[in-house]
Amino acid sequence: KQEVTQIPAALSVPEGENLVLNCSFTDSAIYNLQWFRQDPGKGLTSLLLIQSSQREQTSGRLNASLDKSSGRSTLYIAASQPGDSATYLCATNTDKLIFGTGTRLQVFP
Amino acid sequence: KAGVTQTPRYLIKTRGQQVTLSCSPISGHRSVSWYQQTPGQGLQFLFEYFSETQRNKGNFPGRFSGRQFSNSRSEMNVSTLELGDSALYLCASSLLGYLDEKLFFGSGTQLSVL
């Protein structure tokens, strides 16, 4: 049974810092891995999707990497801004999405 | 282009009642999936519908059911509500439901069971 864990559970940083959020999973037989953002009381916004054959994906200040053999993915946020404050969720995809526990990020001015 | 719309936004029910939640996908999207989010269990997949047929189902009791109409709108129903059913229920839509498609989520329905 796939288990997805995210570390740290919460993170508070000053504006401008570069961040790394971690995601680990137990079953490497995945089709892809996705990163989402969730603002309080809202739904999820898709950030990046990495296919199982890919090593990384980039979108603006976001870069996500995938290492299937070690069961790990990282989300790198460059030059963080207060608007990045949200909960970040990773999810592995086999025939359905299995979500991690999330990292609550606060970026203060 | 309108996003995914979920109604109602908030709902309060008592134990033993039943509830129906609605989800209107983005125009042209034919796949709708449902998720339950709680502080204790996190986000969990409920089921996915495509062209009025349930294609996949998560590990939830039979009290949780859903359906999809010919216009791709979907409803989920929870019967005999329990306190533990209190959660944010999210739906997501995609064009065809392929695994590499981007999902678009609604803002959710917050259900409180008293």
Side-chain angles (χ1 to χ4, degrees):
Chain A
K1 178 188 171 187
Q2 179 76 282
E3 291 182 8
V4 183
T5 306
Q6 291 185 246
I7 293 173
L11 190 58
S12 183
V13 300
E15 182 176 7
E17 281 207 1
N18 300 324
L19 311 171
V20 175
L21 308 182
N22 296 294
C23 171
S24 61
F25 48 95
T26 55
D27 185 353
S28 62
I30 61 173
Y31 285 111
N32 58 54
L33 184 141
Q34 301 185 39
W35 283 92
F36 296 88
R37 166 189 173 135
Q38 186 175 29
D39 293 283
K42 300 283 183 65
L44 278 64
T45 300
S46 177
L47 296 173
L48 291 164
L49 184 154
I50 313 174
Q51 301 288 5
S52 62
S53 58
Q54 296 176 321
R55 298 285 295 197
E56 64 179 324
Q57 279 287 336
T58 298
S59 176
R61 296 182 292 109
L62 305 180
N63 174 275
S65 65
L66 175 63
D67 184 345
K68 275 180 49 176
S69 61
S70 66
R72 292 174 189 269
S73 176
T74 60
L75 178 67
Y76 176 82
I77 303 176
S80 59
Q81 303 171 355
D84 294 331
S85 299
T87 296
Y88 290 81
L89 295 144
C90 67
T92 59
N93 203 350
T94 49
D95 62 341
K96 56 180 174 288
L97 287 174
I98 305 294
F99 285 88
T101 45
T103 294
R104 190 169 66 252
L105 172 66
Q106 182 182 14
V107 181
F108 54 90
Chain B
K1 200 175 191 182
V4 178
T5 304
Q6 290 188 247
T7 57
R9 185 71 178 92
Y10 300 95
L11 207 48
I12 299 175
K13 293 285 187 179
T14 56
R15 278 183 299 173
Q17 287 187 310
Q18 76 164 16
V19 67
T20 299
L21 312 182
S22 179
C23 173
S24 293
I26 290 173
S27 178
H29 285 193
R30 293 168 61 189
S31 169
V32 174
S33 51
W34 288 88
Y35 301 84
Q36 181 198 64
Q37 186 174 30
T38 61
Q41 299 296 318
L43 253 170
Q44 295 182 282
F45 171 78
L46 280 156
F47 27 65
E48 186 244 349
Y49 285 86
F50 177 80
S51 289
E52 302 178 66
T53 301
Q54 186 182 91
R55 281 202 303 200
N56 203 351
K57 189 177 187 306
N59 189 26
F60 279 80
R63 301 185 297 107
F64 291 82
S65 63
R67 59 178 176 169
Q68 186 180 35
F69 302 95
S70 58
N71 62 357
S72 294
R73 188 178 71 87
S74 177
E75 289 181 346
M76 69 162 282
N77 184 276
V78 188
S79 63
T80 319
L81 284 166
E82 300 177 359
L83 295 179
D85 296 333
S86 295
L88 179 67
Y89 290 87
L90 294 166
C91 81
S93 75
S94 66
L95 201 57
L96 296 172
Y98 292 157
L99 293 176
D100 59 353
E101 283 183 348
K102 186 175 178 178
L103 289 177
F104 295 83
F105 281 80
S107 295
T109 294
Q110 183 68 56
L111 171 64
S112 297
V113 182
L114 307 178

